[in-house]
Amino acid sequence: TYVGTRGVKLSSISFGVDMDPSVIDIPSISQSYYVKEAGYGELGLAKVFNLSAYFFTFPISLQRESLYAKYRYYDIKSYAAQKYNANETRVGLTLSTVLMNSLPFPLSFEYIHNDATFVEDTSRVRVLFGASF
C-alpha cells in the first residue's frame, strides 16, 4: 500500500552490477524485498594459503587457496513498523584456479546460516564461479 515508495532493497544477489549503496545483499533470502530502514555490521576473518599446483597436462591449475569466515548482524525495519534482527554466519573456501595456466578462474564454496524469521532456508550451500578479463 506504499505506492511510489521504495526504501532499501534487500537482495539475494551478492554481486550487484552497479554497486548501489541502497541495496543490502542477504544471500539467504529467496527473493528481493523493500523495507523502510536497514543496516548491518560485518566482521570477517580470512587466511590465504599459497599452495600452488601447476599442471601442464591438465587444463586447470591451482594458484592459492583461502579460508574465510564472516559474521553479519542485520537490523531491519519494515514499512509496517516491525523490527527484525538477524544473525548470519558464512564459512567458505576460495580456490584461485587458472585455465590453461593463463586465464584466472576463481571458484568458491560457501556455507551460510541465517537465524532470521523471514528466511525460508536457514542453512544454504553455494558454489560461486568467477571470471576475469
Side-chain angles (χ1 to χ4, degrees):
T1 61
Y2 296 94
V3 178
T5 305
R6 288 197 121 181
V8 180
K9 182 179 181 181
L10 304 179
S11 176
S12 63
I13 301 172
S14 296
F15 304 104
V17 175
D18 56 358
M19 297 299 195
D20 188 359
S22 67
V23 176
I24 295 178
D25 68 309
I26 304 177
S28 51
I29 61 176
S30 59
Q31 63 184 10
S32 297
Y33 299 99
Y34 284 95
V35 294
K36 186 175 183 179
E37 296 175 14
Y40 69 92
E42 183 176 76
L43 178 66
L45 296 170
K47 173 64 179 159
V48 175
F49 300 98
N50 290 317
L51 302 173
S52 60
Y54 290 95
F55 304 104
F56 296 103
T57 57
F58 191 70
I60 299 174
S61 296
L62 186 62
Q63 284 184 326
R64 72 182 64 84
E65 310 80 30
S66 67
L67 291 172
Y68 62 90
K70 294 180 183 179
Y71 168 77
R72 267 193 181 180
Y73 175 78
Y74 297 99
D75 187 20
I76 300 166
K77 185 177 180 183
S78 70
Y79 283 108
Q82 292 179 336
K83 290 195 81 160
Y84 300 99
N85 295 324
N87 296 298
E88 183 179 80
T89 308
R90 298 185 204 183
V91 178
L93 170 68
T94 300
L95 302 173
S96 296
T97 56
V98 287
L99 294 171
M100 306 302 236
N101 290 332
S102 62
L103 269 153
F105 181 75
L107 175 64
S108 295
F109 303 95
E110 185 174 63
Y111 171 76
I112 304 167
H113 179 76
N114 194 323
D115 68 354
T117 57
F118 57 87
V119 173
E120 294 173 5
D121 295 328
T122 58
S123 297
R124 184 175 280 195
V125 176
R126 296 193 312 178
V127 177
L128 305 167
F129 300 101
S132 299
F133 48 91

